[in-house]
Amino acid sequence: ECLARKAPITPCLLTLEYLFTELIRRGDIRPADTGAQNNVPLAKDPQTNHKQWLQAHYGEAFDMIIDGMHHEKEGESSQALAAAMKLLAVESHHRPEADQFPMARLKQILTAMLSTECLNKHLFNRFLEYASYLDVIFYCWKTVPSLVPRSGAPPSDAFKHNFLLLLDAILFGKEKMKEADNVLCVPLGDGFDYTLVRKQINRTWGFVMNWQHSVAVHEQLLILLLEKVFIHLDKPVLLTDFLMDSLDVGGTVSVLALQGVFVLIQQHNLTYPNIYEKLYSMFEPEIFHTKFKARLFYLADIFLSSSHLPEGLVAAFVKRLARLSLIAPPQDIVIILRFIGNLILRHPALKRLIFHPTGGEASSDPYVMEERDPMKSKALESSLWEIAALQSHVLPSVASAARFISNPLPSVEWDLSEVLEISENDIFHKEMMSKTQDFFVNIDRPTGMFGYCGGQVASQCWKLF
């Protein structure tokens, strides 16, 4: 009735949880027989008849708790999930069969969380509390492949988001397997079977990769791949085509795909001849308004760390970054200036860009910004007039950072990590806290708002009562 009226259901959930927990502990309900009692004929023994009646009503009550997970209020639905998981734990502790995990109940819970209509992020945040237990992780992975739709209409974006949230909750680091005693329901008799779980992870990920992805799902998938899935894949090189296609999407997706390509290059000896052209094309004005811009600068710093790269290639990056610094937010200008300074330190021959005699100026710059091939951009023929212009920036922190081209260069590189996470609020706070000199603006100290200030005009027009 509460579900039908969309009323608060927490009191009902707590009552059902307490009631059936006590009945299971007393032995009035046998968890191993739940779900198999609906079609059993009533016994002649009143006591057995009563237990069968309790058994049937427990199954109905558990289904109602599962329905409560679809409540429109997040607090109510989260409480329904907590009640279902607590009853699942009680069932496992009082089953006649030793060490038997209630997988049917777990699948029922996971299916309810994987809504096709709405994003259940609050449910998965609550589920993290239970996903820290090894037995829950193990049996979730035994169940997850069966939850992937394989026929009919493609899954909705809401389902894809929810499914990736589920994978995010139950994926784990290898140090987790050392916590053998960390279980919610039953101990894992033969230990955590990582071979089986890894097989299930690879199988599930194969299904996920075959979906059509919107930009939001694509971004969520790449984050999950980079942070938690890569270490469990049997053949990460098979992701090469997917990552290469993702590089062409643009925006945040391209930045995340670039990190995936870097992992394949560094750890699996992948060769990608056009990677520098791809990296060069990512530096567009839009990158300053994405949440992963710091990651792009970090990866670009690694890709351009070698001192054996062609000077023309590095010069193209220097000029592109210098041009972008004219329209970048103040906090990003500081990052760009430090990055350019490090590139010049790695390639001393680029010092000629600082004051190139024939490098032109704003009206006659030989550098071709629109050229997609960095080697054909004529960057070596240009000069860094953009940085010279920034020395007159309104913000002292930016102007000071741009003066590095007018001073002797340091012997060691600047640490980019110190400025990658700077925000506009940090710059504003720094300027507000800086000490400024006080200047007097009046000869005589005023005694009021409308006093005599060299004349009687103000006092004639305004009078305070």
Side-chain angles (χ1 to χ4, degrees), residues 78-79 81-82 121-130:
S78 297
Q79 185 60 46
L81 171 62
K121 191 172 183 178
H122 61 287
L123 290 180
F124 291 102
N125 288 338
R126 185 63 182 269
F127 188 71
L128 288 172
E129 175 184 340
Y130 308 99

Side-chain angles (χ1 to χ4, degrees), residues 210-440:
N210 290 327
W211 289 343
Q212 294 293 326
H213 307 118
S214 64
V215 175
V217 173
H218 204 157
E219 178 182 327
Q220 186 181 2
L221 183 146
L222 284 168
I223 293 174
L224 185 60
L225 171 65
L226 294 170
E227 295 181 354
K228 295 188 176 182
V229 176
F230 247 126
I231 60 174
H232 300 291
L233 294 180
D234 293 329
K235 298 179 180 179
V237 179
L238 296 179
L239 295 171
T240 302
D241 291 339
F242 170 74
L243 293 173
M244 295 307 177
D245 293 339
S246 300
L247 281 174
D248 298 326
V249 174
T252 302
V253 172
S254 293
V255 176
L256 294 170
L258 178 67
Q259 184 173 351
V261 172
F262 172 72
V263 173
L264 293 180
I265 292 175
Q266 185 183 47
Q267 300 179 8
H268 303 281
N269 299 321
L270 175 72
T271 56
Y272 185 65
N274 298 325
I275 189 63
Y276 288 101
E277 292 183 14
K278 290 288 185 182
L279 179 61
Y280 184 75
S281 65
M282 288 183 190
F283 285 102
E284 297 285 349
E286 295 79 13
I287 196 61
F288 300 118
H289 306 290
T290 64
K291 58 184 177 181
F292 294 111
K293 62 184 177 184
R295 191 176 305 209
L296 175 61
F297 280 104
Y298 171 75
L299 292 171
D301 188 42
I302 294 176
F303 274 108
L304 298 172
S305 60
S306 174
S307 59
H308 300 289
L309 293 173
E311 290 179 3
L313 174 68
V314 181
F317 278 94
V318 169
K319 275 297 297 183
R320 192 173 188 87
L321 289 167
R323 190 67 60 86
L324 289 175
S325 67
L326 297 177
I327 57 173
Q331 66 274 14
D332 296 324
I333 297 177
V334 178
I335 300 175
I336 291 174
L337 294 174
R338 293 287 181 260
F339 190 21
I340 290 176
N342 288 345
L343 292 178
I344 294 177
L345 287 175
R346 295 169 194 170
H347 301 269
L350 296 182
K351 291 181 181 179
R352 63 177 176 172
L353 291 177
I354 296 178
F355 296 107
H356 198 290
T358 61
E361 51 188 15
S363 58
S364 59
D365 191 345
Y367 171 69
V368 184
M369 182 78 171
E370 295 75 19
E371 176 59 52
R372 310 310 295 175
D373 186 352
M375 297 299 292
K376 298 179 181 179
S377 63
K378 300 181 180 180
L380 283 174
E381 303 173 16
S382 181
S383 65
L384 295 178
W385 58 265
E386 299 93 344
I387 299 180
L390 288 175
Q391 293 179 356
S392 302
H393 198 277
V394 65
L395 287 179
S397 58
V398 175
S400 176
R403 293 192 185 99
F404 80 92
I405 62 171
S406 302
N407 301 321
L409 293 176
S411 57
V412 295
E413 296 183 4
W414 285 279
D415 185 4
L416 283 183
S417 62
E418 296 179 356
V419 294
L420 282 178
E421 301 298 334
I422 290 180
S423 66
E424 59 271 18
N425 291 332
D426 298 328
I427 293 180
F428 181 79
H429 180 71
K430 181 179 178 181
E431 295 298 332
M432 290 294 295
M433 296 302 293
S434 61
K435 294 182 178 180
T436 57
Q437 185 178 357
D438 294 331
F439 295 95
F440 295 102

Side-chain angles (χ1 to χ4, degrees), residues 18-275:
Y18 177 78
L19 176 63
F20 286 106
T21 296
E22 290 302 315
L23 289 172
I24 293 173
R25 287 174 178 171
R26 283 163 38 183
D28 292 334
I29 295 177
R30 299 180 60 196
D33 298 332
T34 55
Q37 295 294 328
N38 294 334
N39 299 322
V40 175
L42 295 178
K44 295 181 179 180
D45 181 11
Q47 187 176 3
T48 305
N49 188 7
H50 177 65
K51 288 186 176 182
Q52 290 178 355
W53 180 83
L54 288 175
Q55 199 81 30
H57 280 74
Y58 173 60
E60 294 177 6
F62 196 89
D63 291 340
M64 292 175 63
I65 293 174
I66 295 298
D67 291 339
M69 293 170 60
H70 302 295
H71 200 283
E72 61 181 12
K73 294 184 177 179
E74 294 183 359
E76 306 294 330
S77 57
S78 297
Q79 185 60 46
L81 171 62
M85 290 300 296
K86 289 177 182 178
L87 287 174
L88 178 143
V90 173
E91 276 193 37
S92 64
H93 294 148
H94 295 83
R95 281 178 169 255
E97 303 87 352
D99 299 341
Q100 185 172 350
F101 192 93
M103 289 187 62
R105 296 291 190 208
L106 180 63
K107 185 173 182 179
Q108 207 175 349
I109 294 170
L110 296 180
T111 302
M113 294 168 66
L114 294 173
S115 171
T116 59
E117 299 176 357
C118 60
L119 187 63
N120 287 331
K121 191 172 183 178
H122 61 287
L123 290 180
F124 291 102
N125 288 338
R126 185 63 182 269
F127 188 71
L128 288 172
E129 175 184 340
Y130 308 99
S132 61
Y133 296 101
L134 273 184
D135 56 336
V136 175
I137 294 174
F138 179 77
Y139 288 104
C140 276
W141 278 113
K142 291 189 70 173
T143 306
V144 161
S146 64
L147 303 176
V148 182
R150 305 176 195 176
S151 59
S156 64
D157 275 359
F159 178 88
K160 295 174 185 176
H161 279 295
N162 287 327
F163 194 81
L164 291 175
L165 286 172
L166 173 60
L167 298 187
D168 190 19
I170 61 177
L171 280 164
F172 56 94
K174 293 187 178 180
E175 68 279 356
K176 188 72 177 178
M177 293 182 289
K178 300 177 182 178
E179 305 173 8
D181 299 330
N182 185 24
V183 295
L184 175 68
C185 300
V186 296
L188 300 172
D190 298 329
F192 189 85
D193 190 353
Y194 176 66
T195 303
L196 173 62
V197 172
R198 183 171 184 173
K199 180 179 178 182
Q200 296 291 79
I201 294 175
N202 281 267
R203 183 184 176 193
T204 304
W205 196 251
F207 294 139
V208 172
M209 295 290 291
N210 290 327
W211 289 343
Q212 294 293 326
H213 307 118
S214 64
V215 175
V217 173
H218 204 157
E219 178 182 327
Q220 186 181 2
L221 183 146
L222 284 168
I223 293 174
L224 185 60
L225 171 65
L226 294 170
E227 295 181 354
K228 295 188 176 182
V229 176
F230 247 126
I231 60 174
H232 300 291
L233 294 180
D234 293 329
K235 298 179 180 179
V237 179
L238 296 179
L239 295 171
T240 302
D241 291 339
F242 170 74
L243 293 173
M244 295 307 177
D245 293 339
S246 300
L247 281 174
D248 298 326
V249 174
T252 302
V253 172
S254 293
V255 176
L256 294 170
L258 178 67
Q259 184 173 351
V261 172
F262 172 72
V263 173
L264 293 180
I265 292 175
Q266 185 183 47
Q267 300 179 8
H268 303 281
N269 299 321
L270 175 72
T271 56
Y272 185 65
N274 298 325
I275 189 63

